[in-house]
Amino acid sequence: MAVNADFVGRTYPPSGPYAVTAEGLAAFASAVGSTDPVHTSSEAARAAGYADVIAPPTFAVTIAQQCDAVFVQDPEAGIDYSRVVHGEQRFVHHRPITAGDEVLGTLTVDSVRAAGGHSMVTTRTELTTTDGAALCTSTSTIVIRGGE
Amino acid sequence: MGVRTLADTSVGDTIEARTIPVGRDSLVAYANASGDQNPIHQDEEFATSVGLPDVIAHGMWTMGAAGSVVEEWAGDGGRVVEFGTRFTKPVVVPQGGGAVEVAGVVKSVDEATRRATVELTVTSGGDKVLGRCLAVVLLD
């Protein structure tokens, strides 16, 4: 089954808001082995100049993947999720995601291409606060393995 | 340790290699913290049924572990302003646990923007598991 190239260039309405909690950031930091207190201690985060505890560099993916669902689970998109592997991931942070943020994600399908019997789909999620402040641009390429 | 400064950073500076263990329990913790409950990262029978050698780590666990090494080098996690990678090979996590090794080197320093680009080398069992793994750190 081929991925539907008609989706290229499509931008979805913002999804969310996704609430960022101190507990969620601490659990994520622990899971990736971070010991930086800016993720777990409000005092340490404020001393470093932040409003509250901040997210580790890859935390944004947890929100971006929720935003992706509207596309990757759309039967019209033609993505067999059982054959998906993560190919590439990139984050550009505009300001740290912070506990208390209410985050909106706007998903755009940047490209769909075929390579060696596989399909590669690149999506971009622009994360902002509900007030419109830019947080992070998360770009993800998934590979849908060919086969049969 | 404070935030890394421009004055203390030069091209060729290295982040000493370190080994980070990864057990099945690490992957359950990552699944719960991230929401990615794909059974290939937790269930050996399922993983092998879809042609994998064993349970494999979430690619984003591996990238996240590498990110923790960079933020420690930066002295403040909020200083890692860009971070990207390719996932080149899976990290296999057998019942007894696996490991990744992370090392880094400063590839460039932009004095005008106070940004250092660090390339990370991330391997598991001798195989490179992340490719073109680059982090940009905002220096003090």
Side-chain angles (χ1 to χ4, degrees):
Chain A
M1 184 165 64
V3 177
N4 188 345
D6 292 347
F7 280 72
V8 175
R10 184 175 298 193
T11 294
Y12 289 82
S15 62
Y18 303 96
V20 178
T21 66
E23 296 73 22
L25 296 179
F28 189 90
S30 170
V32 295
S34 173
T35 55
D36 190 331
V38 295
H39 308 311
T40 51
S41 159
S42 306
E43 291 72 30
R46 289 192 185 108
Y50 306 113
D52 202 337
V53 289
I54 62 166
T58 61
F59 174 83
V61 75
T62 67
I63 300 174
Q65 284 181 342
Q66 294 179 71
C67 301
D68 279 355
V70 63
F71 165 59
V72 297
Q73 293 175 8
D74 181 346
E76 293 294 314
I79 294 172
D80 178 354
Y81 209 70
S82 72
R83 306 192 70 83
V84 166
V85 294
H86 205 167
E88 294 183 39
Q89 180 66 43
R90 181 171 148 80
F91 305 97
V92 177
H93 294 290
H94 309 299
R95 79 112 157 111
I97 295 172
T98 307
D101 282 345
E102 295 283 330
V103 180
L104 298 176
T106 303
L107 175 74
T108 299
V109 181
D110 273 350
S111 72
V112 171
R113 58 196 189 280
H118 307 305
S119 297
M120 299 175 75
V121 177
T122 299
T123 56
R124 173 169 43 90
T125 308
E126 298 288 352
L127 300 179
T128 68
T129 65
T130 48
D131 299 331
L135 293 173
C136 178
T137 303
S138 170
T139 307
S140 177
T141 299
I142 58 172
V143 181
I144 301 97
R145 293 176 293 145
E148 269 77 47
Chain B
M1 193 185 77
V3 176
R4 187 165 294 272
T5 63
L6 178 62
D8 284 339
T9 306
S10 305
V11 171
D13 286 356
T14 57
I15 301 177
E16 197 181 342
R18 74 188 67 183
T19 300
I20 301 169
V22 52
R24 298 273 176 91
D25 56 339
S26 319
L27 302 184
V28 172
Y30 186 80
N32 291 336
S34 70
D36 183 345
Q37 297 285 354
N38 188 328
I40 61 173
H41 307 304
Q42 298 188 42
D43 181 341
E44 187 173 322
E45 262 182 54
F46 184 86
T48 53
S49 79
V50 296
L52 294 165
D54 205 329
V55 166
I56 62 168
H58 306 76
M60 287 308 304
W61 175 84
T62 308
M63 186 181 187
S68 296
V69 172
V70 182
E71 63 174 21
E72 187 182 322
W73 180 83
D76 171 357
R79 296 295 183 127
V80 183
V81 291
E82 294 183 27
F83 193 25
T85 197
R86 289 180 175 173
F87 301 98
T88 51
K89 279 208 161 185
V91 173
V92 177
V93 182
Q95 185 68 50
V100 294
E101 185 164 279
V102 181
V105 62
V106 176
K107 300 299 283 186
S108 64
V109 177
D110 185 329
E111 296 199 2
T113 60
R114 309 185 79 83
R115 285 169 182 231
T117 299
V118 178
E119 182 169 34
L120 295 152
T121 302
V122 183
T123 60
S124 182
D127 290 329
K128 195 168 184 175
V129 293
L130 299 182
R132 277 208 334 207
C133 186
L134 296 170
V136 177
V137 172
L138 182 60
L139 303 166
D140 217 20

